[in-house]
Amino acid sequence: ATRWRPPAPPMPWWMKLNLIVGATLQIVTCYLAQFFATRCFAPFEMTDRISDKLDGDWTNIFRPLGRVVILLWAIGCANYIVFRLWARVRVAELKNRGDSPVGTPAGHMEKGAPLPQAREAHTADAKHKSGTNGAVGAWARPA
């Protein structure tokens, strides 16, 4: 029988808020940059010269709304980095405690070891593709 470990504690409210704020900022910046592109960025082609089109300063490509978009995008990226760092620490804590992630059987935590469902699906897929009884390779014969 499979021995299931108790689930890990839920994600704290402040991390959920961090993810919601970060995702919202990323969505808002995409919409702003797409729908208000001419208000965010000055027209500039790859063949244009910065000295001619942007008065010699590459930052002139950003109009005021564009600067806001870049700032919001950077904050959204920072939110993601905070989440990744938190998750790395949380996973290390669970590993040190000997816990496996929620919903994962305790015996299948070896690196690269497939879960039972994945092994069964792979075996069934191999049987179907080869038209054999499960033998794969040069010696496979139809069942």
Side-chain angles (χ1 to χ4, degrees):
T2 301
R3 184 174 58 98
W4 296 88
R5 296 181 188 255
M11 184 182 298
W13 68 269
W14 59 270
M15 187 51 62
K16 290 178 186 178
L17 180 66
N18 177 62
L19 286 174
I20 291 168
V21 168
T24 302
L25 288 175
Q26 293 294 321
I27 291 168
V28 166
T29 58
C30 285
Y31 277 109
L32 286 172
Q34 288 296 312
F35 293 122
F36 301 103
T38 56
R39 294 181 65 191
C40 291
F41 308 105
F44 190 81
E45 300 292 329
M46 290 296 290
T47 56
D48 292 341
R49 295 178 55 88
I50 293 175
S51 57
D52 298 338
K53 280 280 203 166
L54 302 175
D55 299 327
D57 185 6
W58 68 271
T59 61
N60 287 339
I61 198 164
F62 302 109
R63 292 185 171 160
L65 184 58
R67 293 177 194 273
V68 171
V69 166
I70 296 298
L71 176 66
L72 295 178
W73 175 81
I75 293 170
C77 289
N79 286 65
Y80 176 68
I81 292 168
V82 167
F83 169 73
R84 289 291 305 250
L85 293 173
W86 174 84
R88 184 178 296 158
V89 169
R90 185 71 185 117
V91 167
E93 289 173 358
L94 290 174
K95 281 184 178 179
N96 289 338
R97 229 173 60 181
D99 289 349
S100 59
V102 176
T104 304
H108 297 282
M109 289 303 295
E110 298 83 25
K111 186 174 185 175
L115 294 174
Q117 314 87 288
R119 261 186 273 143
E120 292 166 8
H122 176 72
T123 304
D125 190 43
K127 287 180 187 178
H128 174 72
K129 284 182 180 177
S130 67
T132 66
N133 58 359
V136 197
W139 301 279
R141 298 208 170 118

